[in-house]
Amino acid sequence: MAAITTTVPQVVLQSSTGQRRMPVMGLGTAPEAASKVSTKDAVLEAIKQGYRHFDAAAAYGVEKSVGEAIAEALQLGLIASRDELFVTSKLWVTDNHSHLIVPALQKSLRTLQLEYLDLFLIHWPITTQPGGVKYPIEVSEIVEFDMKGVWSSMKECQRLGLTKAIGVSNFSIKKLEELLSFATITPAVNQVEVNLGWQQVKLREFCKEKGVVITAFSPLRKGASRGENLVMDNDILKELVDAHGKTIAQICLRWLYEQGLTFVAKSYDKERMNQNLQIFDWSLTEDDYKKISEIHQDRFIKGPTKPLLNDLWDEE
Ligand code: NAP
């Protein structure tokens, strides 16, 4: 019997070739040490289930595996062409220097075995000395972030056809305002943390007004770290679970969908991956929204540096 696949709705992004469609939900691929499933197997399974959007980054060290999964999906006939997929990758802070950006994307493409990305993002508005990926980032390695020079090279990546669209990640309103003050190409996307415990109302309003699509990361607020989870262990959300017969994860993702956002959830588990796709044919109620508005708000991902930077989020 053929597997049942889910079709994920799409949004339209502005890109070099006019309009580019992005499935609202993508599969995250940030590594988790505890994961027993390989990225290659997870991406292949996701393609079987109907995922068409994959969120990678040079810093995740997964580009090779994502590329191998895509090559195998093509070989197996799970997809007819690479064009059916939407692949994002991100520029790491060590390459956030205008002369290193085109070569960094060319390296990502070689590793992914792809001719182009659908979306290339500046991972953080931070530049460090060139070199290999170190995480967390040592503050002593940080140098000035030349936003104009960096954006100009991002545009060059798009002009060369290496990526269909360009965007940013972890940009505050203040940093977006600065970028928009000179940008001749508006960032198609700002990928930032949004979840029920960090709802980002102001940034979302700003991006909507400026035509920048938000992609929510850590939509379940789980990330690679463990411990108390304001969302998955939330008593208010447990009431919604009982009322809807859905899981907390599904309520989180449905809420993002109803906000008109795009989002990248990471699950490498076959069942949970499938569960996360089952959010497009039911709705939250007004009463749910009242309860959701009571959830305590606190940023989960505070920054990638050691120690944390005071001005990274511009106090937003
Ligand atoms: P997340 O998607 O909020 O949570 C992932 C965790 O939740 C995993 O441990 C996963 O475990 C578990 N999970 C997934 N579905 C579940 C379900 N239905 N029920 C229970 N548990 C479930 O966290 P994230 O990985 O931090 O964020 C997602 C993606 O966003 C990343 O992978 C990455 O692509 C991107 N991201 C970007 C940035 C950035 O700076 N731009 C920062 C962080 C993340 P299993 O795999 O075992 O299911």
Side-chain angles (χ1 to χ4, degrees), residues 40 44 62-73 111-113:
K40 183 182 170 191
L44 205 54
V62 296
E63 289 174 324
K64 185 166 181 284
S65 311
V66 171
E68 285 170 357
I70 293 172
E72 196 165 323
T111 313
L112 281 157
Q113 305 177 54

Side-chain angles (χ1 to χ4, degrees), residues 207-220:
C207 285
K208 192 170 179 192
E209 191 193 315
K210 301 295 178 191
V212 178
V213 169
I214 286 210
T215 298
F217 73 63
S218 300
L220 308 179

Side-chain angles (χ1 to χ4, degrees), residues 104-137:
L105 175 49
Q106 284 167 329
K107 185 175 172 206
S108 280
L109 290 173
R110 278 195 305 276
T111 313
L112 281 157
Q113 305 177 54
L114 295 179
E115 283 175 11
Y116 67 90
L117 287 183
D118 295 280
L119 179 63
F120 189 42
L121 302 177
I122 300 172
H123 205 148
W124 290 94
I126 293 173
T127 304
T128 67
Q129 305 283 2
V133 174
K134 283 185 225 147
Y135 195 90
I137 300 159

Side-chain angles (χ1 to χ4, degrees), residues 107-254:
K107 185 175 172 206
S108 280
L109 290 173
R110 278 195 305 276
T111 313
L112 281 157
Q113 305 177 54
L114 295 179
E115 283 175 11
Y116 67 90
L117 287 183
D118 295 280
L119 179 63
F120 189 42
L121 302 177
I122 300 172
H123 205 148
W124 290 94
I126 293 173
T127 304
T128 67
Q129 305 283 2
V133 174
K134 283 185 225 147
Y135 195 90
I137 300 159
E138 294 287 343
V139 167
S140 58
E141 303 236 329
I142 293 178
V143 297
E144 194 193 342
F145 174 52
D146 167 20
M147 198 187 283
K148 265 193 186 162
V150 166
W151 195 247
S152 167
S153 298
M154 292 294 285
K155 279 192 329 192
E156 182 64 5
C157 291
Q158 183 169 305
R159 194 191 67 77
L160 291 169
L162 302 174
T163 183
K164 301 288 182 194
I166 51 176
V168 297
S169 179
N170 296 302
F171 269 47
S172 63
I173 294 177
K174 187 173 169 202
K175 291 192 177 72
L176 278 174
E177 273 173 336
E178 187 185 339
L179 178 56
L180 292 171
S181 73
F182 60 79
T184 50
I185 296 183
T186 300
V189 164
N190 185 17
Q191 184 180 117
V192 290
E193 177 187 344
V194 190
N195 52 55
L196 284 171
W198 189 240
Q199 298 179 11
Q200 296 262 42
V201 178
K202 277 195 195 143
L203 180 64
R204 279 160 44 199
E205 272 168 16
F206 179 83
C207 285
K208 192 170 179 192
E209 191 193 315
K210 301 295 178 191
V212 178
V213 169
I214 286 210
T215 298
F217 73 63
S218 300
L220 308 179
R221 207 181 167 87
K222 281 204 88 171
S225 66
R226 289 288 177 268
E228 194 204 6
N229 188 311
L230 273 181
V231 166
M232 298 296 273
D233 303 326
N234 191 292
D235 287 339
I236 299 175
L237 290 175
K238 284 179 190 155
E239 287 174 34
L240 269 59
V241 164
D242 295 340
H244 284 283
K246 303 288 176 192
T247 66
I248 290 192
Q250 288 173 317
I251 286 166
C252 293
L253 300 177
R254 177 71 204 183

